[in-house]
Amino acid sequence: MVTGAAGQLGADLVRFATDAGDDVVVADRSTLDITDSVAVRSFIAAHRPDAIINAAAYTAVDACETNRELARAVNAAAVGSLREAADATDAHLVHVSTDYVFDGTLDRPYVENDTPNPQSVYGITKLEGERRAGQGASVVRTSWVCGEYGNNMVKLILRLAGGDAPLAFVDDQRGCPTFTADLAPALHRLASDRHAGTFHLTNAGAVSWYEFVGDILEAAGHSRSRVTSIGTADLDPPRPAPRPANGVLDNAAWRAAGHQPLRDYREPLAELVARLT
């Protein structure tokens, strides 16, 4: 069962699991309101999936600052409902979280047992969701997600590159771009193996947003010089929600479990740009 099945990650999860021969229960907003605990219990009891991958989230980071109750309902309380329903049917829960559970102040990549310290409502509610997922779940922190479906940075830059407007992106926020084409199979593996624990899962390679935009432009045949760098403090208007300056995640637990690291992000980036152009 895939929640958030209409989103960019959920859509690739459904496609990968279907191609793998699974019977996939699709749960998007039209079929299940995950903030309705009664509906969640009824839905899961009726379908009795072997595994539930929760790709649903309220990811509008700045909007979370003013829509706190909605953020808590989707990112935290709903995970508890999924956990209870999963326990009742012996389903394994895989819950997708974020680098925003960290404050971004470390001078090295974050490993799974580093102490979270979220600075935004989004990060706070996602951390609460991790805790509500329970010890038996696979909790997966990822970052800078891009895919063929939904909205993301790659699609934004490809659209902006068609015009003449100047591009300026911050060079003091660093993270790991992650592509759903690689993330979906990894989540499927955790679901199939019922591997409990916290995992960081990103494509290899860490960059600033400024550098990532340059990579996107270059992959699409544009000059990197189209983008200039600015600092977060120079954003006008300022963003309501603070971002971690360092969102780089070390995939240590994934490697320790014997899995191959996900590819360098430039490979799936080139593949995605080719599909979108």
Side-chain angles (χ1 to χ4, degrees), residues 39-90:
V40 168
R41 286 195 298 270
S42 176
F43 189 90
I44 292 175
H47 291 283
R48 301 190 69 83
D50 295 310
I52 301 165
I53 303 180
N54 181 33
Y58 185 28
T59 59
V61 175
D62 290 322
C64 284
E65 295 294 310
T66 51
N67 297 308
R68 298 185 175 212
E69 291 308 311
L70 178 58
R72 287 193 176 94
V74 177
N75 295 339
V79 185
S81 299
L82 290 169
R83 167 78 276 160
E84 292 171 3
D87 285 345
T89 55
D90 193 31

CSV table of all heavy atoms in Angstrom, one decimal, residues 39-90:
chain,number,residue,atom,x,y,z
A,39,ALA,N,-11.1,6.2,9.2
A,39,ALA,CA,-11.0,5.8,7.8
A,39,ALA,C,-9.8,5.0,7.6
A,39,ALA,O,-9.8,4.0,6.8
A,39,ALA,CB,-11.1,7.0,6.9
A,40,VAL,N,-8.7,5.4,8.2
A,40,VAL,CA,-7.4,4.7,8.0
A,40,VAL,C,-7.5,3.3,8.5
A,40,VAL,O,-7.1,2.3,7.8
A,40,VAL,CB,-6.3,5.5,8.7
A,40,VAL,CG1,-5.0,4.6,8.8
A,40,VAL,CG2,-5.9,6.8,8.0
A,41,ARG,N,-8.1,3.1,9.7
A,41,ARG,CA,-8.2,1.7,10.2
A,41,ARG,C,-9.1,0.9,9.4
A,41,ARG,O,-8.8,-0.3,9.1
A,41,ARG,CB,-8.8,1.8,11.7
A,41,ARG,CG,-7.8,2.3,12.7
A,41,ARG,CD,-8.3,2.0,14.1
A,41,ARG,NE,-9.5,2.7,14.4
A,41,ARG,CZ,-9.6,3.9,14.9
A,41,ARG,NH1,-8.5,4.5,15.2
A,41,ARG,NH2,-10.8,4.5,15.2
A,42,SER,N,-10.2,1.5,8.9
A,42,SER,CA,-11.1,0.7,8.1
A,42,SER,C,-10.5,0.3,6.7
A,42,SER,O,-10.6,-0.8,6.2
A,42,SER,CB,-12.4,1.6,7.8
A,42,SER,OG,-13.3,0.9,7.0
A,43,PHE,N,-9.8,1.3,6.1
A,43,PHE,CA,-9.2,1.1,4.8
A,43,PHE,C,-8.1,0.0,4.9
A,43,PHE,O,-8.1,-0.9,4.0
A,43,PHE,CB,-8.6,2.4,4.3
A,43,PHE,CG,-8.1,2.4,2.9
A,43,PHE,CD1,-8.9,2.7,1.9
A,43,PHE,CD2,-6.8,2.0,2.6
A,43,PHE,CE1,-8.4,2.7,0.5
A,43,PHE,CE2,-6.3,2.0,1.3
A,43,PHE,CZ,-7.1,2.4,0.3
A,44,ILE,N,-7.3,0.0,5.9
A,44,ILE,CA,-6.2,-0.9,6.0
A,44,ILE,C,-6.8,-2.3,6.4
A,44,ILE,O,-6.3,-3.3,5.9
A,44,ILE,CB,-5.1,-0.4,6.9
A,44,ILE,CG1,-4.4,0.8,6.3
A,44,ILE,CG2,-4.1,-1.5,7.3
A,44,ILE,CD1,-3.4,1.5,7.2
A,45,ALA,N,-7.8,-2.3,7.2
A,45,ALA,CA,-8.4,-3.6,7.6
A,45,ALA,C,-9.0,-4.3,6.4
A,45,ALA,O,-9.0,-5.5,6.3
A,45,ALA,CB,-9.4,-3.4,8.7
A,46,ALA,N,-9.6,-3.5,5.5
A,46,ALA,CA,-10.2,-4.0,4.3
A,46,ALA,C,-9.2,-4.6,3.3
A,46,ALA,O,-9.5,-5.6,2.7
A,46,ALA,CB,-11.1,-3.0,3.7
A,47,HIS,N,-8.1,-3.9,3.2
A,47,HIS,CA,-7.1,-4.3,2.1
A,47,HIS,C,-6.0,-5.2,2.7
A,47,HIS,O,-5.4,-6.0,1.9
A,47,HIS,CB,-6.5,-3.1,1.5
A,47,HIS,CG,-7.4,-2.3,0.7
A,47,HIS,ND1,-7.8,-2.6,-0.6
A,47,HIS,CD2,-8.1,-1.1,0.9
A,47,HIS,CE1,-8.7,-1.8,-1.1
A,47,HIS,NE2,-8.9,-0.8,-0.2
A,48,ARG,N,-5.7,-5.1,4.0
A,48,ARG,CA,-4.7,-6.0,4.6
A,48,ARG,C,-3.4,-6.1,3.8
A,48,ARG,O,-3.0,-7.2,3.4
A,48,ARG,CB,-5.3,-7.4,4.9
A,48,ARG,CG,-6.5,-7.4,5.8
A,48,ARG,CD,-6.9,-8.7,6.3
A,48,ARG,NE,-5.9,-9.2,7.2
A,48,ARG,CZ,-5.9,-8.9,8.5
A,48,ARG,NH1,-6.8,-8.2,9.0
A,48,ARG,NH2,-4.9,-9.4,9.3
A,49,PRO,N,-2.8,-4.9,3.6
A,49,PRO,CA,-1.5,-5.0,2.9
A,49,PRO,C,-0.4,-5.6,3.7
A,49,PRO,O,-0.4,-5.6,5.0
A,49,PRO,CB,-1.2,-3.5,2.6
A,49,PRO,CG,-1.8,-2.8,3.7
A,49,PRO,CD,-3.1,-3.6,4.0
A,50,ASP,N,0.6,-6.2,3.1
A,50,ASP,CA,1.8,-6.7,3.8
A,50,ASP,C,2.7,-5.6,4.2
A,50,ASP,O,3.4,-5.7,5.3
A,50,ASP,CB,2.6,-7.7,2.9
A,50,ASP,CG,1.8,-8.9,2.5
A,50,ASP,OD1,1.3,-9.5,3.4
A,50,ASP,OD2,1.7,-9.2,1.3
A,51,ALA,N,2.7,-4.5,3.5
A,51,ALA,CA,3.6,-3.4,3.8
A,51,ALA,C,2.9,-2.1,3.4
A,51,ALA,O,2.1,-2.0,2.5
A,51,ALA,CB,4.9,-3.5,3.1
A,52,ILE,N,3.1,-1.0,4.2
A,52,ILE,CA,2.6,0.3,3.9
A,52,ILE,C,3.8,1.3,3.8
A,52,ILE,O,4.6,1.4,4.7
A,52,ILE,CB,1.7,0.8,5.0
A,52,ILE,CG1,0.5,-0.2,5.3
A,52,ILE,CG2,1.2,2.2,4.8
A,52,ILE,CD1,-0.2,0.0,6.6
A,53,ILE,N,3.9,1.9,2.6
A,53,ILE,CA,4.9,3.0,2.5
A,53,ILE,C,4.2,4.3,2.5
A,53,ILE,O,3.4,4.6,1.6
A,53,ILE,CB,5.7,2.8,1.1
A,53,ILE,CG1,6.3,1.4,1.1
A,53,ILE,CG2,6.8,3.9,1.0
A,53,ILE,CD1,7.1,1.1,-0.2
A,54,ASN,N,4.5,5.1,3.5
A,54,ASN,CA,3.8,6.4,3.7
A,54,ASN,C,4.6,7.5,3.0
A,54,ASN,O,5.6,8.0,3.6
A,54,ASN,CB,3.7,6.7,5.2
A,54,ASN,CG,3.0,8.0,5.4
A,54,ASN,OD1,2.1,8.4,4.6
A,54,ASN,ND2,3.3,8.7,6.5
A,55,ALA,N,4.2,7.8,1.8
A,55,ALA,CA,4.8,8.9,1.0
A,55,ALA,C,4.0,10.1,1.1
A,55,ALA,O,4.3,11.1,0.4
A,55,ALA,CB,5.1,8.4,-0.4
A,56,ALA,N,3.0,10.2,1.9
A,56,ALA,CA,2.1,11.3,2.0
A,56,ALA,C,2.7,12.3,3.1
A,56,ALA,O,3.2,11.9,4.1
A,56,ALA,CB,0.7,10.9,2.5
A,57,ALA,N,2.7,13.6,2.8
A,57,ALA,CA,3.2,14.6,3.7
A,57,ALA,C,2.7,16.0,3.3
A,57,ALA,O,2.4,16.2,2.1
A,57,ALA,CB,4.7,14.6,3.7
A,58,TYR,N,2.7,16.9,4.2
A,58,TYR,CA,2.4,18.3,3.9
A,58,TYR,C,3.8,18.9,3.8
A,58,TYR,O,4.5,19.2,4.9
A,58,TYR,CB,1.6,18.9,5.1
A,58,TYR,CG,1.2,20.3,4.8
A,58,TYR,CD1,1.0,20.8,3.5
A,58,TYR,CD2,1.0,21.2,5.9
A,58,TYR,CE1,0.6,22.2,3.3
A,58,TYR,CE2,0.6,22.5,5.7
A,58,TYR,CZ,0.4,23.0,4.4
A,58,TYR,OH,0.0,24.3,4.2
A,59,THR,N,4.3,19.1,2.6
A,59,THR,CA,5.7,19.5,2.4
A,59,THR,C,5.9,21.0,2.0
A,59,THR,O,7.0,21.4,1.7
A,59,THR,CB,6.3,18.6,1.3
A,59,THR,OG1,5.5,18.8,0.1
A,59,THR,CG2,6.3,17.2,1.7
A,60,ALA,N,4.8,21.7,2.1
A,60,ALA,CA,4.9,23.2,1.8
A,60,ALA,C,5.6,23.8,3.0
A,60,ALA,O,4.9,24.2,4.0
A,60,ALA,CB,3.5,23.8,1.5
A,61,VAL,N,6.9,23.9,3.0
A,61,VAL,CA,7.7,24.2,4.2
A,61,VAL,C,7.3,25.6,4.8
A,61,VAL,O,7.1,25.7,6.0
A,61,VAL,CB,9.2,24.2,3.9
A,61,VAL,CG1,10.0,24.6,5.1
A,61,VAL,CG2,9.6,22.8,3.5
A,62,ASP,N,7.1,26.6,4.0
A,62,ASP,CA,6.8,27.9,4.5
A,62,ASP,C,5.3,27.9,4.9
A,62,ASP,O,5.0,28.6,6.0
A,62,ASP,CB,7.1,29.0,3.4
A,62,ASP,CG,8.6,29.2,3.2
A,62,ASP,OD1,9.3,29.1,4.1
A,62,ASP,OD2,8.9,29.3,2.0
A,63,ALA,N,4.4,27.3,4.2
A,63,ALA,CA,3.0,27.3,4.6
A,63,ALA,C,2.8,26.6,5.9
A,63,ALA,O,1.9,26.9,6.6
A,63,ALA,CB,2.2,26.6,3.5
A,64,CYS,N,3.7,25.6,6.2
A,64,CYS,CA,3.5,24.9,7.5
A,64,CYS,C,3.6,25.9,8.7
A,64,CYS,O,3.1,25.7,9.8
A,64,CYS,CB,4.6,23.9,7.7
A,64,CYS,SG,4.4,22.4,6.7
A,65,GLU,N,4.4,27.0,8.5
A,65,GLU,CA,4.6,27.9,9.6
A,65,GLU,C,3.3,28.6,10.1
A,65,GLU,O,3.1,28.9,11.2
A,65,GLU,CB,5.6,29.0,9.2
A,65,GLU,CG,7.0,28.5,8.9
A,65,GLU,CD,7.7,28.0,10.2
A,65,GLU,OE1,7.7,28.7,11.2
A,65,GLU,OE2,8.2,26.9,10.1
A,66,THR,N,2.3,28.7,9.1
A,66,THR,CA,1.1,29.3,9.5
A,66,THR,C,-0.1,28.3,9.5
A,66,THR,O,-1.1,28.6,10.2
A,66,THR,CB,0.7,30.4,8.5
A,66,THR,OG1,0.8,29.9,7.1
A,66,THR,CG2,1.6,31.6,8.6
A,67,ASN,N,0.1,27.2,8.9
A,67,ASN,CA,-0.9,26.1,8.9
A,67,ASN,C,-0.4,25.0,9.8
A,67,ASN,O,-0.3,23.8,9.4
A,67,ASN,CB,-1.2,25.6,7.5
A,67,ASN,CG,-1.8,26.7,6.6
A,67,ASN,OD1,-2.8,27.3,7.0
A,67,ASN,ND2,-1.2,26.9,5.5
A,68,ARG,N,-0.2,25.3,11.1
A,68,ARG,CA,0.5,24.3,12.0
A,68,ARG,C,-0.4,23.1,12.3
A,68,ARG,O,0.1,22.0,12.4
A,68,ARG,CB,0.8,25.1,13.3
A,68,ARG,CG,1.9,26.2,13.1
A,68,ARG,CD,2.3,26.8,14.4
A,68,ARG,NE,3.4,27.8,14.1
A,68,ARG,CZ,4.4,28.0,14.9
A,68,ARG,NH1,4.5,27.4,16.1
A,68,ARG,NH2,5.3,28.9,14.5
A,69,GLU,N,-1.7,23.3,12.5
A,69,GLU,CA,-2.6,22.2,12.8
A,69,GLU,C,-2.7,21.2,11.6
A,69,GLU,O,-2.7,20.0,11.8
A,69,GLU,CB,-4.0,22.7,13.2
A,69,GLU,CG,-4.0,23.5,14.5
A,69,GLU,CD,-3.3,22.7,15.6
A,69,GLU,OE1,-3.7,21.5,15.8
A,69,GLU,OE2,-2.5,23.2,16.3
A,70,LEU,N,-2.7,21.7,10.4
A,70,LEU,CA,-2.7,20.8,9.2
A,70,LEU,C,-1.4,20.1,9.1
A,70,LEU,O,-1.4,18.9,8.9
A,70,LEU,CB,-3.0,21.7,8.0
A,70,LEU,CG,-3.0,20.9,6.7
A,70,LEU,CD1,-4.0,19.8,6.7
A,70,LEU,CD2,-3.2,21.8,5.5
A,71,ALA,N,-0.3,20.8,9.4
A,71,ALA,CA,1.0,20.1,9.3
A,71,ALA,C,1.1,19.0,10.3
A,71,ALA,O,1.6,17.9,10.0
A,71,ALA,CB,2.1,21.2,9.6
A,72,ARG,N,0.6,19.3,11.5
A,72,ARG,CA,0.6,18.2,12.6
A,72,ARG,C,-0.3,17.1,12.2
A,72,ARG,O,0.0,15.9,12.5
A,72,ARG,CB,0.2,18.8,13.9
A,72,ARG,CG,1.3,19.7,14.5
A,72,ARG,CD,1.1,20.0,16.0
A,72,ARG,NE,2.2,20.7,16.6
A,72,ARG,CZ,2.2,22.0,16.7
A,72,ARG,NH1,1.2,22.8,16.2
A,72,ARG,NH2,3.3,22.7,17.2
A,73,ALA,N,-1.5,17.4,11.7
A,73,ALA,CA,-2.4,16.3,11.3
A,73,ALA,C,-1.9,15.4,10.3
A,73,ALA,O,-2.0,14.2,10.4
A,73,ALA,CB,-3.7,17.0,10.8
A,74,VAL,N,-1.2,16.0,9.2
A,74,VAL,CA,-0.7,15.1,8.1
A,74,VAL,C,0.6,14.5,8.4
A,74,VAL,O,0.8,13.3,8.2
A,74,VAL,CB,-0.6,16.0,6.8
A,74,VAL,CG1,0.0,15.1,5.7
A,74,VAL,CG2,-2.0,16.5,6.4
A,75,ASN,N,1.5,15.3,9.0
A,75,ASN,CA,2.9,14.8,9.2
A,75,ASN,C,3.2,14.1,10.4
A,75,ASN,O,4.2,13.4,10.6
A,75,ASN,CB,3.9,16.0,9.1
A,75,ASN,CG,3.9,16.7,7.8
A,75,ASN,OD1,3.6,16.2,6.8
A,75,ASN,ND2,4.4,18.0,7.8
A,76,ALA,N,2.3,14.2,11.4
A,76,ALA,CA,2.5,13.5,12.7
A,76,ALA,C,1.3,12.6,13.1
A,76,ALA,O,1.5,11.4,13.2
A,76,ALA,CB,2.7,14.6,13.8
A,77,ALA,N,0.1,13.2,13.3
A,77,ALA,CA,-1.0,12.4,13.8
A,77,ALA,C,-1.3,11.2,12.9
A,77,ALA,O,-1.6,10.1,13.3
A,77,ALA,CB,-2.2,13.3,14.1
A,78,ALA,N,-1.3,11.5,11.6
A,78,ALA,CA,-1.7,10.5,10.6
A,78,ALA,C,-0.7,9.3,10.6
A,78,ALA,O,-1.1,8.2,10.4
A,78,ALA,CB,-1.7,11.1,9.2
A,79,VAL,N,0.5,9.6,10.9
A,79,VAL,CA,1.5,8.5,11.0
A,79,VAL,C,1.2,7.6,12.2
A,79,VAL,O,1.3,6.3,12.1
A,79,VAL,CB,2.9,9.0,11.2
A,79,VAL,CG1,4.0,7.9,11.1
A,79,VAL,CG2,3.3,10.1,10.1
A,80,GLY,N,0.7,8.1,13.3
A,80,GLY,CA,0.3,7.3,14.4
A,80,GLY,C,-0.9,6.4,14.0
A,80,GLY,O,-1.0,5.3,14.4
A,81,SER,N,-1.8,7.0,13.2
A,81,SER,CA,-3.0,6.2,12.8
A,81,SER,C,-2.5,5.0,11.9
A,81,SER,O,-3.0,3.9,12.0
A,81,SER,CB,-4.0,7.1,12.1
A,81,SER,OG,-4.5,8.1,12.9
A,82,LEU,N,-1.6,5.3,11.0
A,82,LEU,CA,-1.1,4.3,10.1
A,82,LEU,C,-0.3,3.2,10.9
A,82,LEU,O,-0.5,2.0,10.7
A,82,LEU,CB,-0.1,4.9,9.1
A,82,LEU,CG,-0.7,5.8,8.0
A,82,LEU,CD1,0.3,6.5,7.2
A,82,LEU,CD2,-1.6,4.9,7.1
A,83,ARG,N,0.4,3.6,11.9
A,83,ARG,CA,1.1,2.7,12.8
A,83,ARG,C,0.1,1.7,13.5
A,83,ARG,O,0.3,0.5,13.5
A,83,ARG,CB,1.9,3.5,13.8
A,83,ARG,CG,2.5,2.7,15.0
A,83,ARG,CD,3.7,1.9,14.6
A,83,ARG,NE,3.5,0.7,14.0
A,83,ARG,CZ,4.3,0.0,13.3
A,83,ARG,NH1,5.5,0.5,13.0
A,83,ARG,NH2,4.0,-1.2,12.8
A,84,GLU,N,-0.9,2.3,14.1
A,84,GLU,CA,-1.9,1.5,14.8
A,84,GLU,C,-2.6,0.5,13.8
A,84,GLU,O,-2.8,-0.7,14.2
A,84,GLU,CB,-2.9,2.4,15.5
A,84,GLU,CG,-2.4,3.2,16.6
A,84,GLU,CD,-3.3,4.2,17.1
A,84,GLU,OE1,-4.5,4.2,16.6
A,84,GLU,OE2,-3.0,5.0,18.0
A,85,ALA,N,-3.0,1.0,12.7
A,85,ALA,CA,-3.6,0.1,11.7
A,85,ALA,C,-2.7,-1.0,11.2
A,85,ALA,O,-3.1,-2.1,10.9
A,85,ALA,CB,-4.2,0.9,10.5
A,86,ALA,N,-1.4,-0.6,11.0
A,86,ALA,CA,-0.4,-1.6,10.5
A,86,ALA,C,-0.2,-2.7,11.6
A,86,ALA,O,-0.1,-3.8,11.3
A,86,ALA,CB,0.9,-0.9,10.2
A,87,ASP,N,-0.1,-2.3,12.8
A,87,ASP,CA,0.0,-3.3,13.9
A,87,ASP,C,-1.1,-4.2,13.9
A,87,ASP,O,-1.0,-5.4,14.2
A,87,ASP,CB,0.1,-2.5,15.3
A,87,ASP,CG,1.5,-1.9,15.5
A,87,ASP,OD1,2.4,-2.2,14.7
A,87,ASP,OD2,1.6,-1.0,16.4
A,88,ALA,N,-2.3,-3.7,13.7
A,88,ALA,CA,-3.5,-4.6,13.7
A,88,ALA,C,-3.6,-5.6,12.6
A,88,ALA,O,-4.3,-6.6,12.8
A,88,ALA,CB,-4.8,-3.7,13.7
A,89,THR,N,-2.9,-5.4,11.5
A,89,THR,CA,-2.9,-6.3,10.4
A,89,THR,C,-1.5,-6.9,10.1
A,89,THR,O,-1.3,-7.5,9.1
A,89,THR,CB,-3.4,-5.5,9.1
A,89,THR,OG1,-2.5,-4.4,8.9
A,89,THR,CG2,-4.8,-5.1,9.3
A,90,ASP,N,-0.5,-6.7,11.0
A,90,ASP,CA,0.8,-7.2,10.8
A,90,ASP,C,1.5,-6.7,9.6
A,90,ASP,O,2.2,-7.4,8.9
A,90,ASP,CB,0.8,-8.7,10.9
A,90,ASP,CG,2.3,-9.3,11.0
A,90,ASP,OD1,3.1,-8.6,11.7
A,90,ASP,OD2,2.5,-10.3,10.5
